[in-house]
Amino acid sequence: MQQRLPVIRSFGPIRSLTPVAKPSKENSPITEHLAYLLAQANREINRQLETRLSKEGVPVEQWRILKVLSDGNGHSMGELADAVLLNHPTLTKMIDRMVSDALVYRVQDPKDRRKVLMFVSDHGKALSRRLNSLAVSQEEHIVESYGDKSTNELKRLLESLIGTAN
Amino acid sequence: MQQRLPVIRSFGPIRSLTPVAKPSKENSPITEHLAYLLAQANREINRQLETRLSKEGVPVEQWRILKVLSDGNGHSMGELADAVLLNHPTLTKMIDRMVSDALVYRVQDPKDRRKVLMFVSDHGKALSRRLNSLAVSQEEHIVESYGDKSTNELKRLLESLIGTAN
DNA sequence: TTGAAAATATTGAATATTCAACAATTGAAG
DNA sequence: CTTCAATTGTTGAATATTCAATATTTTCAA
């Protein structure tokens, strides 16, 4: 006669009393918030880029401005402000400085005289090329330590986040 | 006699003269740079969070400070500055304001009298809870439109980027 | 133990950013 | 056409951030 095996009534603690379906987030550390991780990563990468560009004595925002204007087309202030992630008065004042440095110049838009079209000077173009090579070398450095796959995947996810956020 | 087939000398354009292995990056638009994508995404998400927190009239940085201090332990100014992504003088001045608002208070560290330990008040704790629920609801909103999988994958990649960047 | 160097936080001046108001131009309704 | 609202860019004042210098305390080597 086959021996009765003991009935197993439980495999462990009663799970319904230790809720597992609700990770709750309420008390999660700040380092788990997307907003915080983005701020931290941005800060770090921006610092690195800033360090590179300091070789030319130029802030990151001016690199962005020069890069956008380097397509040779005129860009209005509003358009430019959006593109380089600055609000209007800040951009106006930064452009004032860049005009003083003869990197860019203003032209009133003949089609709409409220607008100002910004253009990059030859001097600005030359600087832009040097800055761009510094920026590219930074990105290559990131790819080296962080990996090509991760970098591309991260870019893809960021683009998609930006897309859904608007 | 078998007919001679013409000798095929080329299958198309000579590839080595139209380099295909070098995406070059040199002239890529700014929107393809990791540094730019991070800045853009951070700006957008931060804006959203700022809007939520404005219900309590509190800037994002104060939410971070309150959240870090809400573990109940004392945190030195230096430690706190690192944690909340502010440099020291900026933190000192923001803490001054928060002390005026009775959200936090300073205690000199008895073990090392160079240090100041920051603590959150009961009032600050209550505010922190309200802020946190606003922040959590924002993150839930992101997860809704962006997807749970993407959000988690993005967080993972950001953490890893931050890890390798240091 | 003493004295110099390092670590920690704050301050004040210089700089930068933001907010609100403004001026100029265009668009559009009546 | 005229007028009023919307768009675009700039300005000045208020606010915030950053840099360099300072004060205090601790660390550590001689």
Side-chain angles (χ1 to χ4, degrees):
Chain A
M1 184 181 167
Q2 190 178 2
Q3 194 179 356
R4 287 283 282 288
L5 292 171
V7 176
I8 295 169
R9 300 197 181 277
S10 168
F11 287 96
I14 299 168
R15 292 188 187 278
S16 62
L17 291 185
T18 53
V20 83
K22 194 197 169 202
S24 162
K25 282 207 128 289
E26 282 305 330
N27 290 347
S28 68
I30 197 167
T31 51
E32 288 177 12
H33 279 266
L34 179 57
Y36 180 84
L37 290 169
L38 277 170
Q40 193 181 2
N42 178 50
R43 185 179 160 92
E44 188 53 47
I45 298 303
N46 211 51
R47 279 246 182 87
Q48 288 182 9
L49 182 56
E50 193 175 44
T51 302
R52 300 266 179 150
L53 300 189
S54 72
K55 187 183 167 195
E56 296 286 347
V58 166
V60 174
E61 290 78 14
Q62 291 197 16
W63 167 62
R64 291 195 201 131
I65 292 169
L66 290 171
K67 182 142 184 84
V68 169
L69 295 186
S70 285
D71 67 1
N73 302 324
H75 294 259
S76 76
M77 292 295 283
E79 195 191 329
L80 194 53
D82 289 347
V84 303
L85 315 175
L86 291 176
N87 56 19
H88 294 209
T90 305
L91 177 64
T92 291
K93 286 157 190 174
M94 183 160 282
I95 288 287
D96 286 346
R97 276 168 256 159
M98 295 175 78
V99 169
S100 299
D101 296 343
L103 296 171
V104 299
Y105 57 94
R106 292 175 161 99
V107 174
Q108 192 179 48
D109 186 343
K111 313 279 185 197
D112 182 344
R113 289 172 17 242
R114 291 170 301 183
K115 293 188 184 173
V116 168
L117 298 182
M118 296 305 311
F119 292 90
V120 61
S121 69
D122 288 348
H123 179 203
K125 270 184 207 128
L127 176 57
S128 182
R129 271 190 294 274
R130 296 197 300 278
L131 294 175
N132 211 56
S133 109
L134 293 171
V136 166
S137 104
Q138 185 224 11
E139 193 139 340
E140 285 169 354
H141 174 256
I142 293 170
V143 169
E144 252 176 51
S145 46
Y146 183 56
D148 195 47
K149 198 169 170 189
S150 292
T151 306
N152 285 324
E153 182 67 359
L154 177 55
K155 284 187 188 180
R156 196 186 63 75
L157 284 167
L158 288 171
E159 275 168 13
S160 147
L161 176 65
I162 293 160
T164 68
N166 296 334
Chain B
M1 183 186 176
Q2 192 178 3
Q3 194 179 355
R4 288 284 282 286
L5 293 172
V7 176
I8 296 169
R9 300 194 182 276
S10 169
F11 288 96
I14 299 167
R15 292 188 189 278
S16 61
L17 291 185
T18 54
V20 82
K22 195 195 169 205
S24 162
K25 282 205 130 292
E26 282 304 329
N27 289 347
S28 69
I30 198 169
T31 52
E32 287 177 15
H33 279 265
L34 179 56
Y36 181 84
L37 290 169
L38 278 170
Q40 194 181 3
N42 178 50
R43 184 178 160 93
E44 188 54 47
I45 298 302
N46 212 51
R47 278 245 183 88
Q48 287 181 10
L49 182 55
E50 193 175 44
T51 301
R52 300 264 179 152
L53 300 188
S54 72
K55 188 184 166 191
E56 296 286 347
V58 166
V60 174
E61 289 79 12
Q62 291 196 16
W63 166 62
R64 291 195 200 132
I65 292 170
L66 290 171
K67 182 145 185 82
V68 169
L69 295 185
S70 285
D71 66 2
N73 303 324
H75 293 260
S76 75
M77 292 296 282
E79 196 190 328
L80 194 53
D82 288 347
V84 303
L85 315 176
L86 290 175
N87 56 19
H88 294 210
T90 305
L91 178 64
T92 292
K93 286 158 191 175
M94 183 161 282
I95 288 288
D96 286 347
R97 277 169 255 157
M98 295 175 77
V99 170
S100 300
D101 296 343
L103 297 172
V104 299
Y105 57 94
R106 292 177 161 99
V107 174
Q108 192 179 49
D109 185 344
K111 313 279 183 195
D112 182 343
R113 290 174 16 246
R114 290 170 302 181
K115 293 186 184 176
V116 168
L117 297 182
M118 296 305 312
F119 291 90
V120 61
S121 70
D122 289 349
H123 180 202
K125 271 182 206 128
L127 176 58
S128 183
R129 272 190 294 273
R130 297 198 299 278
L131 293 174
N132 211 56
S133 108
L134 293 172
V136 167
S137 103
Q138 186 225 10
E139 193 138 341
E140 284 169 354
H141 175 257
I142 292 171
V143 168
E144 251 175 52
S145 46
Y146 184 57
D148 195 49
K149 199 170 169 188
S150 291
T151 306
N152 286 324
E153 181 67 0
L154 178 55
K155 284 187 187 180
R156 197 187 62 75
L157 284 167
L158 288 171
E159 277 168 12
S160 147
L161 175 65
I162 292 159
T164 67
N166 298 334

